[in-house]
Amino acid sequence: MITRTRLATGACALLAALAAGMAFPAGAVADETSALAPKVDLVLDVSGSMRARDIDGQSRMAAAKQAFNEVLDATPEEVQLGIRTLGADYPGDDRKTGCKDTAQLYPVGPLDRTEAKAAVATLAPTGWTPIGPALLKAADDLDGGEGSKRIVLISDGEDTCAPLDPCEVAREIAAKGIGLTIDTLGLVPNTKMRQQLSCIAEATGGTFTSVEHTEELTDKVNQLVDRAADPVVTPVATTGADQCAKAPALKSGLYTDREEFGQQRWYRVDVEPGQELRASVSVSADRAVNPSYGVLLRAVTERGREIVRGEAAGNGRTDVMSTGLRYPKAEADGDDEDTAPAETVCLQVTQSFSAGSGVQTTPGLPLELTIDVVDGPSQSSDVAAFGLGRGWWLLGALILTGFLAGLVWGWLSRWRVAVWRTN
């Protein structure tokens, strides 16, 4: 009995020790996951001008609340999201006090959707528009961690608290090198507001979007929150040339560049026999541009012969244009397979964006180029030189067999009819 009791006690102690030992690694994994989690701070303008009723028959504030509720429902579980307000609390005329009116409505962290929605429901258009101070505080909200960090600023007017210029604030944030991106959305913007919000976004590599409908606001904020959850890949800066002969040689990877309005950029990629080149390009309109634009990506030989192209066109309803292409390089034949040289493919990027009225044309628009050179589909000796495989020969043989069978069956049918008539 004593022996069994001791064994049972020892077993319980061992299980307890194992449970305690496993608890620490689990906590460590949770802490590591939290540190890598993407963070988003939604900064909402709650100034008095948000009372204006010019978005789908409702006030700008009502449209923002509706959009926020839908965004909170769709936020990915891995994203740590917070909400900051500006101009939500002070209704007075004292400028000094009004320019301090920014508060954290919901802290950046794991999202409790019910609690966040309840907080948003209490908002009412109130005071000033301290964009610069709000951006500084939002940067502090996102401090810590190694995941991506993004501020999404939604405003219906320019900052009213200069000389703390929000564009300079954005440049200061970018200069810290903390990898924080600021995207701006302007509700029914005027020219001055467009310029300010575009400048803020441009300073950190973000985007500016003009919004005049509730659905547009919901879709864009959702897109930006989802983008924060994408795996972080550090792009490599490169500078394309004005002709293929001078273009930089690129390998598989993600690259960034700037392209002036109406400019062409050239890049070079070596493709071995049997490999496939996959390339895509995205050009961001990080400032106000005229409607109707496009992006063209061409793969050409060094002698200028076009191999393949990808193109896309827009009408002013999106701030990013993307297109791509694929080029499989045929395998070398026989003994030449090991000695066949690589082919240099020239990639040409052309965009037809044009700057809006009063908008700076420099620096160029942000360009992101993805290059992927992979082994192409295997080609065996069963594939004919003209690209048709054994299946086509089999189909041809079946067709011929069917034709001959039809002839024989027709001959037999006529013979039987002739014999029947004779009898």
Side-chain angles (χ1 to χ4, degrees):
M1 244 348 242
I2 295 176
T3 303
R4 290 181 181 178
T5 303
R6 287 178 177 174
L7 287 174
T9 303
C12 290
L14 179 59
L15 288 173
L18 288 172
M22 289 189 294
F24 289 104
V29 170
D31 290 342
E32 183 178 353
T33 301
S34 178
L36 296 174
K39 295 181 177 181
V40 178
D41 206 8
L42 303 179
V43 179
L44 179 61
D45 181 351
V46 196
S47 59
S49 58
M50 289 289 282
R51 299 189 189 97
R53 301 181 66 85
D54 54 5
I55 296 185
D56 299 331
Q58 61 181 338
S59 70
R60 298 173 184 178
M61 191 74 250
K65 286 184 177 181
Q66 179 181 332
F68 267 47
N69 284 335
E70 295 182 30
V71 168
L72 292 172
D73 283 334
T75 299
E77 293 292 338
E78 65 270 24
V79 174
Q80 294 191 2
L81 186 137
I83 303 173
R84 172 168 287 278
T85 61
L86 59 95
D89 300 316
Y90 178 69
D93 297 328
D94 183 69
R95 183 177 180 277
K96 185 176 181 180
T97 303
C99 288
K100 296 179 180 178
D101 186 9
T102 177
Q104 194 175 56
L105 183 69
Y106 185 84
V108 177
L111 181 61
D112 183 323
R113 289 172 170 78
T114 302
E115 185 178 338
K117 287 182 180 181
V120 170
T122 64
L123 296 176
T126 302
W128 295 63
T129 313
I131 294 178
L135 292 178
L136 287 173
K137 292 293 186 180
D140 292 338
D141 295 343
L142 297 170
D143 189 34
E146 300 176 9
S148 63
K149 300 178 179 67
R150 186 177 296 271
I151 294 173
V152 180
L153 170 65
I154 301 130
S155 178
D156 72 334
E158 61 269 19
D159 180 88
T160 57
C161 293
L164 187 58
D165 185 351
C167 195
E168 290 299 327
V169 169
R171 292 192 181 106
E172 290 177 12
I173 291 173
K176 292 180 180 179
I178 56 178
L180 192 157
T181 302
I182 303 175
D183 298 290
T184 58
L185 289 84
L187 305 183
V188 197
N190 56 36
T191 301
K192 187 176 180 180
M193 176 184 164
R194 283 177 180 270
Q195 292 175 346
Q196 187 173 84
L197 294 183
S198 295
C199 182
I200 293 171
E202 180 183 339
T204 61
T207 58
F208 162 75
T209 304
S210 172
V211 176
E212 297 186 4
H213 299 282
T214 307
E215 184 179 351
E216 291 175 351
L217 179 60
T218 302
D219 290 346
K220 185 59 184 179
V221 178
N222 266 327
Q223 181 189 73
L224 294 172
V225 172
D226 288 342
R227 191 178 297 175
D230 292 340
V232 178
V233 178
T234 303
V236 177
T238 188
T239 302
D242 58 358
Q243 55 183 289
C244 181
K246 299 179 181 178
L250 305 181
K251 298 182 179 180
S252 294
L254 179 64
Y255 301 88
T256 59
D257 199 356
R258 289 269 183 178
E259 185 174 41
E260 303 291 343
F261 289 95
Q263 187 182 46
Q264 295 181 351
R265 285 296 213 195
W266 288 88
Y267 312 89
R268 297 158 59 94
V269 183
D270 288 337
V271 184
E272 299 284 349
Q275 289 186 328
E276 182 174 280
L277 166 64
R278 302 170 185 173
S280 64
V281 64
S282 296
V283 178
S284 301
D286 63 350
R287 67 206 77 173
V289 297
N290 295 319
S292 299
Y293 41 74
V295 174
L296 171 65
L297 176 62
R298 299 173 65 227
V300 302
T301 66
E302 289 185 285
R303 296 184 178 181
R305 178 180 63 83
E306 182 175 292
I307 302 171
V308 66
R309 65 165 56 192
E311 53 192 331
N315 58 6
R317 296 182 63 85
T318 180
D319 61 335
V320 178
M321 290 298 299
S322 303
T323 188
L325 56 81
R326 297 175 62 190
Y327 167 53
K329 172 68 176 171
E331 291 184 351
D333 295 331
D335 298 334
D336 297 333
E337 185 172 352
D338 295 331
T339 59
E343 177 184 6
T344 298
V345 177
C346 303
L347 293 176
Q348 178 197 47
V349 178
T350 307
Q351 47 86 1
S352 59
F353 287 87
S354 59
S357 177
V359 175
Q360 292 185 346
T361 59
T362 56
L365 298 180
L367 179 155
E368 192 170 85
L369 181 66
T370 302
I371 303 292
D372 199 11
V373 181
V374 299
D375 291 335
S378 61
Q379 300 179 8
S380 66
S381 58
D382 295 333
V383 179
F386 47 83
L388 301 181
R390 178 180 289 179
W392 289 93
W393 293 111
L394 178 60
L395 178 60
L398 290 173
I399 292 173
L400 180 60
T401 301
F403 176 72
L404 294 176
L407 288 177
V408 172
W409 181 257
W411 181 81
L412 287 174
S413 297
R414 293 180 63 185
W415 176 76
R416 290 176 62 188
V417 170
V419 171
W420 179 74
R421 285 179 178 177
T422 303
N423 294 333

